[in-house]
Amino acid sequence: MYSLAKRCGAEFFGTFWLVLGGCGAAVLAAGFPELGIGFAGVALAFGLTVLTMAFAVGHISGGHFNPAVTVGLVAGGRFPAKEILPYVIAQVLGAIVAAAVLACIASGKLGFDLKGSHFAANGYGAYSPGKYSMVSALVTEVVLTAGFIFVILGATSKRAPAGFAGIPIGLALTLIHLISIPVTNTSVNPARSTGPALFVGGWALEQLWLFWVAPIVGAIVGAIAYRLVSDPALERA
């Protein structure tokens, strides 16, 4: 097994790539006149970041890139609780550095206003892309994170085909974004939410609590659901 420092380093770079790739697609490419990639393109970008980094460093750290995934894996009996904090710190730092790089790039466009832009931050109510309520946002983030953890636990089971877990996990994240970008701009990842929120400030920081609470609750729910349908003895076989 790799040392904790190396595993946290892998989590840092994996989360950096997720935020830079996914949020970068949203900020730089989604609304570009005539050639913009739109919601579908942003959803695919997020899925591709997880898919590529799962194969690049998943063998080092497990490829969490998300505090909710780390918590869900602990709840699912796949990860030691004592390592939650260092993993989460590495993930959040990776997200913040990625948001800083993205802010630097985006600020090079004439007329770009970081504080006045959405900057791929997550929100509800007036700050939801589709103006969905806080309750809608809460339900969306809990349910979709639960589904994400369910897929992750199933795809990484010892009973699943070996070496292919990154594919269904990346596709699951793409599907999640296709569903929920209009509702919350899609979080299911507290680190991903924290990076942009720190640069937007104001409303984004005020609403950030939901994008920590809901994904973590959802992750625990998803882990419990998977444990109800799986057989621990077979999972370890």
Side-chain angles (χ1 to χ4, degrees), residues 30-47:
F32 199 83
E34 298 181 4
L35 299 176
I37 62 175
F39 285 176
V42 173
L44 183 59
F46 272 101

Side-chain angles (χ1 to χ4, degrees), residues 59-72:
H59 62 286
I60 298 174
S61 68
H64 302 187
F65 319 140
N66 179 341
V69 170
T70 300
V71 171

Side-chain angles (χ1 to χ4, degrees), residues 16-205:
F16 172 89
W17 189 240
L18 184 150
V19 174
L20 183 65
C23 294
V27 172
L28 304 176
F32 199 83
E34 298 181 4
L35 299 176
I37 62 175
F39 285 176
V42 173
L44 183 59
F46 272 101
L48 288 173
T49 62
V50 170
L51 174 62
T52 52
M53 274 295 172
F55 281 100
V57 300
H59 62 286
I60 298 174
S61 68
H64 302 187
F65 319 140
N66 179 341
V69 170
T70 300
V71 171
L73 291 175
V74 170
R78 301 278 188 85
F79 190 74
K82 65 182 181 180
E83 294 184 358
I84 287 180
L85 186 58
Y87 261 54
V88 170
I89 291 173
Q91 292 156 359
V92 172
L93 288 176
I96 292 171
V97 173
V101 171
L102 181 56
C104 179
I105 295 169
S107 297
K109 181 179 179 180
L110 185 64
F112 179 79
D113 178 10
L114 180 60
K115 294 297 182 181
S117 73
H118 203 283
F119 197 57
N122 300 114
Y124 54 82
Y127 301 103
S128 157
K131 310 305 178 189
Y132 286 85
S133 69
M134 181 182 74
V135 172
S136 293
L138 188 65
V139 172
T140 297
E141 292 290 329
V142 169
V143 172
L144 292 182
T145 308
F148 191 39
I149 296 302
F150 195 97
V151 169
I152 290 171
L153 289 171
T156 57
S157 167
K158 290 185 177 180
R159 308 293 290 183
F164 295 99
I167 297 173
I169 292 170
L171 290 175
L173 190 60
T174 300
L175 174 60
I176 286 167
H177 279 78
L178 289 172
I179 296 168
S180 60
I181 286 176
V183 184
T184 63
N185 220 16
T186 310
S187 174
V188 300
N189 184 336
R192 170 262 182 271
S193 298
T194 300
L198 290 176
F199 288 85
V200 174
W203 66 267
L205 288 175

